[in-house]
Amino acid sequence: MNKFILSLDQGTTSCRALLIDQDGKISGIAQKELTQIYPNNGWIEHNPNEILNSQIEVIDQVISENNIETSQIAAIGITNQRETAVVWDKDTGAPIYNAIVWQDNRTTDICEDLKNKNLEKEISDKTGLLIAPYFSATKISWILNNVISAKEKAKSNKLLFGTIDSWLIWNLTEKQTHATDFSNASRTMLFNINKLEWDTDILNELGIPKSMLPKVLNSSANFGNFNYKGHKIPIYGVLGDQQASLFGQKCFDATSTKNTYGTGCFILMNTSDQIIKSKNGLLSTIAWGINGKISYALEGSIFIAGAGIQWLRDELKIINSSEESEKHALKSSDKDNLFVVPAFNGLGAPYWDMYAKGLIIGITRDTNKSDIIKATLDSIAYQTKDVLTSMEKDTKSKINLLKVDGGASNNNYLMQFQSNILGVKIEKPQNTEVTALGAAYIAGLLCSFWDINHLKNLKYDKENFNPKFDSDKINKLYQNWNKAVKRSMNWI
Ligand code: ADP
């Protein structure tokens, strides 16, 4: 009988369960949307019990719809939305507050306070991150300070913290395992990525007792068993979503790089055993830990990528669907003189300008809607070039291939323009479920479902895009993009 790895992909908008066979092919998939809770402006929460129940529902569904026996599941791999924080009562198992989602920015004041205490350098040296509400640390601090009697309970060891992977593992193993993996720990802003331990100074600064924190294991490790209908299924792999996509894209070696084109863009470059301290606005993070060997990554996040296309659809109403943008871009006769800088909520890497605002520049009497749509797609490619340029500077290396995934990577116009403007080949797997694949791969390594050479040799269908612009053209266009970005920066 065929064996499978069950991959649990707990994302920001949905919970999914996928069956992956030994050829790395998806044999089954089930998905359930997740309720987004917006209690206040800038606040975003999820119900941790809904996450758990939905995750179990999709496991039931994928197993029953594909008529497999639980004994055919060799192991479980988990990938999850990163940074999102849950705090729960150790005795009752009940969350004491909703999960505070990574996009939530209610803790801006706590971050400002840390910056005013001049802790930026220390925190960045230790954790590889910039001080931002995005990471888990200040979210935990907010829960402890705002939920009645949370502080006292935490002090008397009654509370546990976890990112979503830990929350799922603790529940699936019936309270046996309170653990996370290196990739998720490195997104909390509490984990020292040099010493590979929770940082006592940052914990004390934020009033978070160490007793709340999970044990940190290798990404490929035994996280305990999920007792499913009398059958024990081991959880053998855990990776945060962007690291899972890096692994699923088989970016195993130094300088191999991927970009996920979703709402925003997440670009990660494997830096092997080196922690590269960016001088160009990027983050250093842990890619994964396997057999006690840590691989690191450089990361650049772009806030508005596919979201810019949603803006064309929902606000400007000049397209009916995201897919339609491709047809318009191909129709546009603009000679690349029009630029959209989608700095709708400031600019992320490598600029980090919270005061930047969006602009459209280069408009002439004959500019039409197709031109604006094309320039919005182009902005995704230019922003990606900004990040890759920083990565090349930081690592003193040349990127020769970019692996891509995510919703907007289905736009062939965009992928071709991306290749042209980078002067780099692009490789897109036909199966864009690479995040779920990454979690399956990391779990399968532990039970010899695959070894690393087997993974490297797994065949998959892919599409390539090769650059067509000469360097003069690239330089001219990129200079103009840089001028446009400068004009958008430091606005009111
Ligand atoms: P997320 O995981 O962030 O929800 P997805 O990977 O599902 O994102 O991708 C959805 C995003 O991709 C949306 O912002 C959507 O506008 C954009 N998108 C999807 N298909 C296309 C397309 N063909 N062309 C351009 N953008 C697209």
Side-chain angles (χ1 to χ4, degrees):
M1 286 226 271
N2 285 345
K3 288 262 186 182
F4 302 93
I5 303 285
L6 176 62
S7 181
L8 307 184
D9 182 358
Q10 201 303 302
T12 311
T13 51
S14 71
C15 296
R16 277 131 47 100
L18 298 91
L19 293 168
I20 314 287
D21 71 15
Q22 215 140 11
D23 295 326
K25 298 264 180 312
I26 295 171
S27 300
I29 180 166
Q31 169 165 346
K32 191 155 193 268
E33 293 300 309
L34 190 61
T35 313
Q36 309 292 317
I37 305 165
Y38 303 105
N40 243 320
N41 200 3
W43 294 28
I44 309 181
E45 299 177 358
H46 290 157
N47 177 339
N49 286 321
E50 182 188 340
I51 291 181
L52 177 65
N53 295 335
S54 302
Q55 203 60 69
I56 293 174
E57 259 181 63
V58 289
I59 295 175
D60 284 339
Q61 197 184 334
V62 81
I63 290 177
S64 64
E65 281 177 0
N66 292 281
N67 292 319
I68 66 156
E69 303 287 330
T70 39
S71 57
Q72 286 175 265
I73 300 174
I76 290 176
I78 297 179
T79 179
N80 55 291
Q81 51 170 318
R82 305 179 302 173
E83 297 103 10
T84 298
V86 193
V87 175
W88 67 93
D89 185 304
K90 200 178 192 170
D91 297 327
T92 65
I96 64 159
Y97 191 78
N98 272 338
I100 302 187
V101 176
W102 57 277
Q103 295 146 314
D104 187 296
N105 62 14
R106 78 184 67 184
T107 58
T108 310
D109 287 352
I110 309 179
C111 291
E112 284 306 318
D113 193 42
L114 294 175
K115 287 182 195 165
N116 290 337
K117 290 178 178 162
N118 284 326
L119 290 171
E120 262 173 304
K121 181 166 180 334
E122 181 187 334
I123 289 183
S124 153
D125 285 346
K126 288 174 163 174
T127 67
L129 309 174
L130 300 166
I131 296 174
Y134 174 28
F135 306 109
S136 324
T138 57
K139 301 181 196 291
I140 308 171
S141 180
W142 188 93
I143 293 176
L144 294 182
N145 285 319
N146 289 277
V147 176
I148 294 167
S149 62
K151 237 181 210 162
E152 294 70 45
K153 278 191 189 163
K155 278 191 192 127
S156 50
N157 291 348
K158 293 257 181 259
L159 295 184
L160 298 178
F161 153 76
T163 37
I164 297 295
D165 54 313
S166 298
W167 166 247
L168 288 175
I169 292 165
W170 195 78
N171 281 288
L172 295 179
T173 62
E174 292 159 8
K175 309 184 182 180
Q176 294 302 304
T177 310
H178 181 222
T180 188
D181 88 299
F182 286 113
S183 72
N184 277 294
S186 75
R187 310 300 298 180
T188 56
M189 212 176 85
L190 296 171
F191 194 68
N192 186 317
I193 63 170
N194 311 274
K195 295 186 177 165
L196 303 178
E197 62 188 27
W198 297 115
D199 188 85
T200 313
D201 297 333
I202 307 176
L203 288 170
N204 289 341
E205 183 59 45
L206 288 166
I208 302 171
K210 209 176 202 165
S211 60
M212 290 178 70
L213 302 178
K215 212 165 38 181
V216 187
L217 303 181
N218 279 313
S219 313
S220 191
N222 187 351
F223 288 83
N225 291 320
F226 174 35
N227 198 344
Y228 185 72
K229 300 187 175 165
H231 184 81
K232 288 194 170 69
I233 313 176
I235 304 170
Y236 277 166
V238 174
L239 278 175
D241 54 10
Q242 297 307 324
Q243 282 89 335
S245 140
L246 190 70
F247 204 73
Q249 288 276 20
K250 300 200 249 172
C251 292
F252 300 144
D253 301 318
T255 76
S256 49
T257 306
K258 71 92 197 182
N259 188 9
T260 300
Y261 297 81
T263 312
C265 275
F266 289 93
I267 305 165
L268 270 76
M269 176 196 263
N270 186 328
T271 60
S272 189
D273 56 356
Q274 303 283 314
I275 302 176
I276 309 274
K277 285 291 300 169
S278 178
K279 295 194 177 70
N280 297 287
L282 306 174
L283 305 175
S284 318
T285 202
I286 295 181
W288 44 74
I290 299 174
N291 288 333
K293 186 176 169 296
I294 302 293
S295 294
Y296 293 90
L298 263 180
E299 174 167 334
S301 338
I302 296 167
F303 299 151
I304 304 293
I309 309 305
Q310 287 168 265
W311 168 71
L312 297 175
R313 186 192 63 193
D314 302 337
E315 259 63 47
L316 297 194
K317 301 191 194 311
I318 53 177
I319 48 175
N320 293 314
S321 68
S322 299
E323 292 73 27
E324 214 182 285
S325 61
E326 180 165 355
K327 185 182 77 189
H328 282 285
L330 293 169
K331 210 164 69 181
S332 164
S333 56
D334 173 61
K335 298 283 179 292
D336 303 312
N337 292 323
L338 185 73
F339 292 86
V340 171
V341 182
F344 300 156
N345 40 357
L347 284 168
Y351 305 102
W352 297 108
D353 180 352
M354 295 308 122
Y355 300 100
K357 288 286 177 304
L359 65 70
I360 306 177
I361 196 159
I363 302 173
T364 53
R365 179 65 183 78
D366 56 354
T367 299
N368 60 37
K369 75 173 188 178
S370 294
D371 302 333
I372 291 177
I373 293 163
K374 170 180 171 291
T376 308
L377 282 169
D378 292 352
S379 75
I380 302 175
Y382 285 120
Q383 293 181 94
T384 298
K385 185 172 171 82
D386 290 338
V387 170
L388 291 199
T389 305
S390 294
M391 285 179 166
E392 289 185 333
K393 280 190 199 153
D394 281 335
T395 58
K396 300 184 182 62
S397 63
K398 172 88 189 84
I399 295 167
N400 296 314
L401 175 70
L402 179 66
K403 300 197 175 180
V404 303
D405 55 82
S409 72
N410 291 316
N411 188 310
N412 287 336
Y413 164 79
L414 172 61
M415 291 302 105
Q416 184 58 56
F417 184 73
Q418 182 72 84
S419 174
N420 293 347
I421 199 67
L422 290 173
V424 164
K425 177 174 163 182
I426 285 183
E427 186 183 293
K428 183 178 84 174
Q430 284 294 324
N431 166 16
T432 49
E433 298 288 349
V434 283
T435 306
L437 278 183
Y441 290 166
I442 202 103
L445 282 180
L446 198 75
C447 54
S448 304
F449 198 74
W450 296 293
D451 62 30
I452 202 87
N453 286 326
H454 185 173
L455 287 181
K456 281 183 184 165
N457 291 324
L458 277 182
K459 295 267 174 291
Y460 57 92
D461 293 330
K462 56 196 174 207
E463 203 171 339
N464 292 328
F465 298 85
N466 290 297
K468 292 186 178 152
F469 289 175
D470 61 32
S471 56
D472 282 351
K473 178 154 181 173
I474 295 175
N475 291 340
K476 185 166 157 273
L477 288 174
Y478 194 50
Q479 268 171 15
N480 289 340
W481 162 257
N482 283 318
K483 275 193 208 162
V485 170
K486 281 216 177 73
R487 290 188 184 210
S488 80
M489 288 178 73
N490 202 14
W491 194 248
I492 34 183

